[in-house]
Amino acid sequence: MSLCSNLSDKLDEKILEDLTSNVKQIQDSLLEEILTLNANTEYLRRFLHGGSDKELFKNNVPVATYEDVKLFIERVVNGESFDVISGIPITGFLLSSGTSGGKRKMVPRNNKYLENLKFIYYYRSIVISKHIDGLKHGKGMVFNFCKQENTTPSGLPASVATTSFFKNDYFKNRQPFWHWSYTSPDEVILCSDNNQSLYCHLLCDIIQRDEVVKVGAAFVSILVRAITFLEKNWKEICANIRFGRLSEWITDISCRDSVSKILGEPNPELADLIEKECNKKSWEGIIPRLWPKTKFIESIATGQMAQHIPTLEFYSNKLPLISSSYVSSETMFGINMNPLCKPQDVSYTFMPNLSYFEFLLVDAGDKFEIVDLVDVKLGCLYEPLVTNHSGLHRYKMGDILEVTGFYNSAPQFRFVRRGNLVLSVHLEKTTDEDLLNAVTHAKMVLESSNLMLMDFTSYVDISTTPGHYVLYWELKGKYNNDIAEIDNKVLVNCCNVVEDSLNNSYKEYRRGGSIGALEIRVVQQGTFDALMEFFITQGASSTQYKTPICIKSPEALVVLEEKVQARFFTDNI
Ligand code: AMP
């Protein structure tokens, strides 16, 4: 390593040490900066009367949900001046994955958002390169996608966060840095047809297989989807490589031109090699088999994404799986400072320079306790409240986090669950965390029958009396793609294990007859792709897509119901 890069690594490390050692001071001056900038917005003036004092803020500014600020945001969306909500210009809106009354939320953004995103992308890779050697000369095969940007009536762009980033000049003119070195040309990322984009990503990844040191996607569900897409399309990809000719259905011109250059001359040797690997009966370890120099996978595998860990481990032969950051459309939060820890042990260290963070104590009974970032207590559960540079003040994120430790004076949090996701038939409350735990137990039953759960979602069916929980499961054979026959005994056992693993209030109401037998509906392979396509037509993004853990939309239910192959119920109560 050169002296120069050694020095800049040291400087980066020092920056992280300073940030995490001066949390209180940085947070206080950030709040002062935000309040001074925004004191005269229409939203804040009502509470602060032009003041910018921390105590005034704490006493007067209410905790807000999206519904509370929605009308203010919509006025700016529809053309009123940005100073309704923000002291500095709003440059666009981010469509967050949260919904408000069935519509996607519009989160205002400005340049500070982009700076924070840049900060997170950069420093999380600094942390990773401290733990893994030899990354600077390799490439990343990273499944990044873009969606078409909309324009608001006020003429501002509205898109999901990743699209706004990849379309920004900063990305276009980015500095050379290993983290930004991809196998796919930018034209593939920018192509708004996600099928063409995914196909081209994989083709470029295979051609440059010997250079790949990192595999990545924002969320692990996207990686699993990319591998199953490859399972369906590898023969065509091999044919393209064998004859040096790209499939005709890749019609996006920039994508076509840039990928054709990478494809180059016919390469029958590579095609033979890939065919040999892909033709093997099992796809266990396919990632290191096809990309032998891969050192790690960078993709969020915490929270709801944890369900995909076993499938990804199967494909990756347990390569290190790094959940590197906790981010949202509202703000960036923090970085995993111990990237090689087990996926189950991940915590994120909050960075005090990103937004002003407060924490609402969860399950505090009648108490309404809000504390600053430096005052959270080890072991307690909190919901973060965000005050950012673009008009959100004490904004309830809806995520539930647990304090697991401190990095210098910066608290570290484990992502526990989305706070507002609750299944309930009677008076019980089943959180997404409860459901994920229960499904994880049932997966062990599947495992012993050589089946893999590719994806699942749930639904509360109250058309029956009593109502009952329905789980939609998409299965796949571990060593054989098609499942000839589903063993009734195994699936009924899975239903029983899920019920046994749910919380006590569920079990009491179930025994008392207020909740009906839990049902698993097995759906055809490809159903969850169809569900994703459905949500994408409704505005979701491929890069940030997360299968909803519970389905509320009747249209989405139709997509699932059309593909149900078999139904199973618990039989032990
Ligand atoms: P979006 O605004 O659409 O990007 O979604 C942001 C939400 O994704 C957060 O509020 C979390 O619920 C979830 N999320 C983001 N990062 C993580 C993470 N590292 N672990 C678990 N969930 C995450």
Side-chain angles (χ1 to χ4, degrees):
M1 206 187 288
S2 73
L3 185 63
C4 191
S5 74
N6 245 335
L7 276 178
S8 87
D9 287 354
K10 288 253 160 344
L11 189 66
D12 285 328
E13 281 169 32
K14 179 163 179 348
I15 288 175
L16 282 178
E17 288 302 305
D18 286 351
L19 282 172
T20 51
S21 302
N22 298 305
V23 175
K24 183 169 168 41
Q25 179 208 331
I26 296 172
Q27 280 278 278
D28 282 347
S29 51
L30 193 73
L31 179 65
E32 196 182 324
E33 178 190 316
I34 294 174
L35 295 182
T36 310
L37 278 172
N38 293 326
N40 285 315
T41 62
E42 186 179 326
Y43 182 80
L44 266 195
R45 217 173 32 232
R46 299 174 306 152
F47 308 117
L48 297 181
H49 312 291
S52 57
D53 176 69
K54 180 171 177 178
E55 276 324 296
L56 201 62
F57 171 81
K58 292 259 176 195
N59 292 333
N60 291 9
V61 177
V63 167
T65 62
Y66 186 75
E67 293 308 313
D68 297 323
V69 288
K70 189 171 143 195
L71 289 179
F72 289 86
I73 293 176
E74 280 178 354
R75 282 169 52 194
V76 182
V77 167
N78 290 322
E80 279 190 54
S81 163
F82 59 83
D83 60 16
V84 172
I85 51 174
S86 169
I88 45 175
I90 296 298
T91 52
F93 294 89
L94 299 172
L95 301 167
S96 121
S97 60
T99 58
S100 162
K103 282 172 104 182
R104 287 159 67 70
K105 291 179 188 171
M106 304 265 274
V107 181
R109 71 161 162 90
N110 53 28
N111 288 342
K112 173 72 178 166
Y113 184 86
L114 198 70
E115 270 170 39
N116 284 349
L117 198 56
K118 279 176 352 195
F119 173 90
I120 283 281
Y121 275 138
Y122 182 73
Y123 281 100
R124 71 185 189 187
S125 43
I126 291 292
V127 173
I128 292 173
S129 59
K130 242 176 82 181
H131 289 81
I132 301 180
D133 285 336
L135 298 179
K136 294 191 175 160
H137 305 295
K139 286 189 180 175
M141 76 178 222
V142 182
F143 296 95
N144 286 321
F145 304 94
C146 278
K147 268 184 78 80
Q148 206 92 47
E149 254 178 350
N150 300 327
T151 307
T152 63
S154 56
L156 292 172
S159 61
V160 293
T162 36
T163 297
S164 80
F165 183 71
F166 293 126
K167 293 209 164 168
N168 190 278
D169 281 347
Y170 168 77
F171 183 69
K172 225 179 282 167
N173 308 321
R174 60 198 179 271
Q175 299 295 316
F177 181 57
W178 69 265
H179 186 68
W180 292 131
S181 179
Y182 297 140
T183 43
S184 301
D186 289 3
E187 288 80 355
V188 170
I189 299 172
L190 294 170
C191 167
S192 53
D193 177 325
N194 291 150
N195 264 336
Q196 293 191 40
S197 172
L198 179 52
Y199 184 90
C200 291
H201 268 304
L202 286 162
L203 182 57
C204 296
D205 297 337
I206 286 182
I207 295 168
Q208 298 162 83
R209 63 191 288 266
D210 286 325
E211 290 174 74
V212 170
V213 290
K214 153 185 153 174
V215 171
F219 294 102
V220 279
S221 54
I222 297 160
L223 270 182
V224 170
R225 178 167 178 260
I227 299 297
T228 49
F229 184 91
L230 183 62
E231 274 186 282
K232 285 189 215 122
N233 294 287
W234 63 266
K235 286 191 179 138
E236 186 177 335
I237 289 180
C238 283
N240 287 185
I241 295 172
R242 183 175 303 284
F243 300 110
R245 224 176 16 241
L246 185 60
S247 298
E248 294 301 322
W249 65 276
I250 306 299
T251 49
D252 182 289
I253 301 288
S254 336
C255 217
R256 207 177 162 82
D257 289 350
S258 59
V259 174
S260 296
K261 277 191 207 128
I262 291 175
L263 182 60
E265 296 298 306
N267 189 344
E269 294 81 26
L270 178 61
D272 286 345
L273 200 145
I274 302 299
E275 259 175 29
K276 195 166 142 243
E277 283 307 329
C278 294
N279 251 330
K280 288 190 180 148
K281 199 165 151 224
S282 168
W283 269 45
E284 191 164 7
I286 195 73
I287 295 179
R289 271 159 48 195
L290 294 182
W291 294 281
K293 295 188 183 150
T294 310
K295 290 172 186 274
F296 71 103
I297 296 177
E298 185 183 5
S299 193
I300 292 174
T302 43
Q304 155 185 8
M305 292 297 149
Q307 58 162 311
H308 300 288
I309 295 173
T311 311
L312 193 62
E313 285 184 337
F314 175 78
Y315 288 132
S316 73
N317 260 353
K318 301 199 175 171
L319 277 165
L321 170 57
I322 302 180
S323 295
S324 56
S325 55
Y326 171 34
V327 294
S328 74
S329 308
E330 289 82 357
T331 184
M332 311 296 120
F333 296 95
I335 295 178
N336 173 1
M337 301 296 281
N338 184 13
L340 292 180
C341 69
K342 289 202 205 107
Q344 301 80 335
D345 296 337
V346 170
S347 286
Y348 301 101
T349 302
F350 270 40
M351 293 291 148
N353 54 325
L354 299 172
S355 283
Y356 179 66
F357 299 116
E358 293 170 284
F359 295 85
L360 181 61
L361 189 65
V362 173
D363 297 332
D366 294 339
K367 268 201 307 185
F368 187 71
E369 192 178 318
I370 297 177
V371 293
D372 273 351
L373 181 56
V374 276
D375 294 324
V376 295
K377 301 240 165 13
L378 196 66
C380 288
L381 294 187
Y382 295 98
E383 177 176 350
L385 307 176
V386 169
T387 296
N388 69 13
H389 283 75
S390 46
L392 300 180
H393 302 282
R394 313 191 97 183
Y395 177 87
K396 264 167 92 74
M397 281 302 303
D399 293 338
I400 307 295
L401 313 176
E402 180 190 1
V403 184
T404 53
F406 294 85
Y407 185 94
N408 296 324
S409 60
Q412 300 178 298
F413 295 88
R414 177 176 78 87
F415 188 95
V416 179
R417 60 173 192 265
R418 272 306 281 180
N420 55 2
L421 267 175
V422 178
L423 296 184
S424 188
V425 161
H426 190 57
L427 293 171
E428 86 291 2
K429 276 189 191 160
T430 301
T431 64
D432 54 348
E433 193 193 17
D434 294 333
L435 192 60
L436 279 168
N437 282 339
V439 170
T440 303
H441 285 139
K443 264 198 223 171
M444 297 189 199
V445 179
L446 282 181
E447 190 68 14
S448 56
S449 318
N450 289 331
L451 288 171
M452 291 196 294
L453 180 63
M454 298 307 288
D455 213 338
F456 87 94
T457 187
S458 65
Y459 162 65
V460 168
D461 186 353
I462 45 164
S463 67
T464 56
T465 314
H468 70 292
Y469 289 13
V470 175
L471 302 182
Y472 292 93
W473 278 18
E474 183 173 323
L475 301 175
K476 187 161 174 298
K478 233 177 173 177
Y479 303 111
N480 193 349
N481 222 342
D482 301 315
I483 314 162
E485 208 168 281
I486 301 168
D487 185 339
N488 187 61
K489 231 170 77 197
V490 172
L491 266 291
V492 170
N493 196 9
C494 287
C495 294
N496 293 339
V497 172
V498 172
E499 275 207 332
D500 279 349
S501 316
L502 288 174
N503 60 39
N504 285 338
S505 72
Y506 174 91
K507 284 191 261 194
E508 272 164 34
Y509 291 126
R510 170 82 181 102
R511 274 194 293 271
S514 311
I515 304 178
L518 183 136
E519 180 182 359
I520 291 179
R521 296 184 188 163
V522 174
V523 293
Q524 289 164 20
Q525 283 181 20
T527 302
F528 279 83
D529 280 353
L531 187 71
M532 181 176 84
E533 298 297 336
F534 166 78
F535 281 112
I536 287 175
T537 61
Q538 305 291 300
S541 102
S542 297
T543 310
Q544 283 158 258
Y545 178 74
K546 310 163 194 85
T547 304
I549 201 159
C550 169
I551 297 281
K552 304 248 162 82
S553 138
E555 294 88 355
L557 271 182
V558 172
V559 176
L560 293 167
E561 278 301 315
E562 278 172 350
K563 313 224 178 215
V564 173
Q565 282 181 314
R567 294 159 191 263
F568 304 89
F569 292 89
T570 42
D571 68 353
N572 62 351
I573 291 184

